[in-house]
Amino acid sequence: MSLFVNLALRNIFRNRGRTYFALLSIAAGCSALILNGGIVFNIFGELREDAIHSRHGHLQIYRRGYSEAHLEDPQRYLMEPQTVQHILDVVRANPRVLRATSRREFSGLIVKGDRYIPFLGVGVEPDQDAEFSRHTTLRAGSAMSASDPYGVMAGLGLARKLDGKPGDELTLMTVTASGALNAVHVRLQGIFEGGLKEYDDWTLKVPLGAAGHLLSDNRIEQIVLLVRHTEDVPVVRSEFESVFQRESSDVEMRSWDQLALFHNQVVGLFGRELSIIRLIIGTIVLLGISNVMGMSIMERMVELATLRALGLRVRAIVALLMIESLFIGLMGAAIGSTLGIAVARVVSAVGIPYPSPPGSTRPFLGGVDVVPDIVTAAFLISVLATLAAAVLPIRKAIRSPIAPTLRCG
């Protein structure tokens, strides 16, 4: 075997031009697979983090039955303050949990002068909201603060409907659980853009205290969690479900991927298109490598016929050529992986500007993620493609008649 290895290495570098061309082709294909996979991973990752850190968090906890029936009877699925506090104590004790907060959703009318604008309210804890809104852009004014219990924030579209600006006095009106009409005066503290048009057009963030005053009810609808790493969400969810089951707690949980409908629609739509693009790139890579390896072996037909004429067994010739192809594939894939990672780092440092996805209100700056699984897959595909590309030319070379081949040479 060592003799074959030595011969293979000598043959590889005997014709340097041919070898360099083969290595360049393999490296270009490998780096293309890495960059394509990294771009797709980055786009989907940005959409995921936008959904988590703008609207949904990683996990949400409700009273059992909420997901199926809360629209029919929202009052039935609200949680008492003492229940909420117990759940918060449980989840905050988990080291994987970064933040936990309470929310209450409701609807009503905003009155500003002679304008009556419907809105969807989200009661939030002002001192916690910033961490849960890291992907939200502050367009005007300032963020919510615990020192201003009646300072609210409006989505960009809703603020435009109101013709509102920071500092404006607003009146919020809604119907309480008892059927009474209630109102509360608030101040527009800031205007935000969450990136999703239907969210920005209707959403008003209200401190929980003011929301409780308006609704005449201090019960909570949901508890929202952020975990330290998105990949830990299934583990954290399983741990809490076990705890709540032991305690016989009347709660249920949903994760961000069950709540982020826009993210799921975009991934479903573009995932298929990007998979087709990835297939096209992979096919081009395979064809390119096949062409280069085929030419490399066919140029050596006379040499291979001479070896057969000297009595070298066909099996030995096949082994020699496959070892050469393996070395070329390994070197080309190594060069391509290094090149792909380097280009990904540079491009990520500069950034790739993308237009707004359908339904979104803002463009975003992406990059190319270096994903170990994608790099490994690109490396293996390049090596295997090189070996596969060598099979047919080798088969043709060892089956060609010796005498005619030598005469042609």
Side-chain angles (χ1 to χ4, degrees):
M1 179 60 71
S2 61
L3 176 62
F4 281 135
V5 172
N6 291 331
L7 286 174
L9 290 173
R10 288 185 180 183
N11 288 335
I12 289 173
F13 293 103
R14 186 176 60 187
N15 188 330
R16 294 180 183 274
R18 181 173 62 200
T19 300
Y20 290 154
F21 187 66
L23 291 175
L24 178 62
S25 175
I26 297 167
C30 182
S31 60
L33 291 173
I34 291 172
L35 293 174
N36 175 259
I39 289 172
V40 173
F41 192 88
N42 179 268
I43 291 173
F44 288 171
E46 286 292 327
L47 290 173
R48 178 193 68 188
E49 294 305 310
D50 185 68
I52 291 169
H53 291 284
S54 292
R55 294 175 293 281
H56 305 298
H58 284 109
L59 288 168
Q60 293 189 7
I61 303 173
Y62 320 94
R63 188 173 178 180
R64 190 177 305 281
Y66 174 91
S67 300
E68 296 181 358
H70 78 282
L71 293 177
E72 300 174 5
D73 187 4
Q75 298 298 322
R76 178 182 176 183
Y77 297 99
L78 297 176
M79 294 182 285
E80 297 294 335
Q82 59 268 28
T83 302
V84 172
Q85 188 57 53
H86 171 71
I87 295 173
L88 287 173
D89 291 341
V90 170
V91 299
R92 286 170 177 167
N94 190 307
R96 290 191 177 92
V97 174
L98 182 65
R99 290 283 190 278
T101 190
S102 304
R103 286 182 185 171
R104 171 78 182 267
E105 295 183 358
F106 59 98
S107 61
L109 286 176
I110 303 175
V111 182
K112 179 178 181 285
D114 58 352
R115 295 174 184 262
Y116 290 78
I117 306 297
F119 72 95
L120 296 176
V122 182
V124 300
E125 297 181 74
D127 56 340
Q128 296 281 349
D129 186 63
E131 188 65 33
F132 286 82
S133 306
R134 283 195 287 125
H135 280 231
T136 296
T137 304
L138 184 65
R139 290 300 184 190
S142 59
M144 301 175 74
S145 170
S147 61
D148 187 353
Y150 289 91
V152 302
M153 294 185 69
L156 183 60
L158 181 61
R160 287 172 177 168
K161 293 177 187 178
L162 288 168
D163 192 24
K165 59 184 183 298
D168 286 352
E169 299 293 329
L170 309 173
T171 300
L172 306 184
M173 300 176 62
T174 193
V175 177
T176 66
S178 62
L181 183 65
N182 199 16
V184 66
H185 297 290
V186 297
R187 184 178 65 85
L188 183 58
Q189 186 164 333
I191 299 171
F192 69 87
E193 183 177 14
L196 190 61
K197 188 177 187 305
E198 62 182 22
Y199 182 75
D200 292 343
D201 283 352
W202 300 100
T203 303
L204 184 75
K205 292 186 177 182
V206 182
L208 269 176
H213 183 186
L214 176 64
L215 297 165
S216 299
D217 186 352
N218 63 351
R219 290 179 295 173
I220 298 299
E221 182 177 9
Q222 58 191 243
I223 296 171
V224 186
L225 312 182
L226 284 179
V227 302
R228 298 187 184 278
H229 304 288
T230 302
E231 296 76 16
D232 291 338
V233 169
V235 176
V236 174
R237 178 174 181 171
S238 178
E239 290 175 352
F240 287 145
E241 286 177 341
S242 297
V243 171
F244 295 142
Q245 187 174 9
R246 286 197 304 269
E247 294 182 348
S248 299
S249 297
D250 190 28
V251 298
E252 64 178 44
M253 301 185 71
R254 300 183 76 188
S255 57
W256 70 271
D257 53 331
Q258 296 174 292
L259 299 164
L261 299 180
F262 174 73
H263 167 273
N264 296 337
Q265 290 169 353
V266 172
V267 170
L269 173 65
F270 289 101
R272 290 187 293 270
E273 296 181 5
L274 292 171
S275 295
I276 293 173
I277 293 173
R278 188 159 48 233
L279 178 62
I280 293 172
I281 291 175
T283 302
I284 292 172
V285 169
L286 289 173
L287 292 176
I289 294 173
S290 299
N291 186 44
V292 171
M293 293 303 299
M295 289 190 302
S296 176
I297 292 174
M298 296 309 292
E299 288 174 359
R300 300 169 59 190
M301 290 289 286
V302 175
E303 172 193 338
L304 298 176
T306 302
L307 292 174
R308 291 165 60 200
L310 292 175
L312 191 63
R313 292 182 178 181
V314 170
R315 184 179 300 175
I317 294 174
V318 172
L320 178 63
L321 293 175
M322 291 302 290
I323 291 173
E324 289 180 21
S325 300
L326 176 62
F327 283 151
I328 291 174
L330 289 171
M331 287 188 290
I335 295 170
S337 298
T338 304
L339 178 64
I341 292 172
V343 172
R345 299 292 190 197
V346 173
V347 171
S348 295
V350 175
I352 304 174
Y354 292 105
S356 303
S360 180
T361 61
R362 61 187 179 191
F364 68 96
L365 192 66
V368 184
D369 290 351
V370 178
V371 186
D373 289 347
I374 293 176
V375 174
T376 302
F379 187 95
L380 292 175
I381 288 172
S382 300
V383 174
L384 294 175
T386 305
L387 293 174
V391 171
L392 289 179
I394 291 174
R395 186 170 180 268
K396 183 176 181 179
I398 62 175
R399 288 193 171 188
S400 62
I402 296 176
T405 302
L406 292 175
R407 281 197 299 270
C408 291

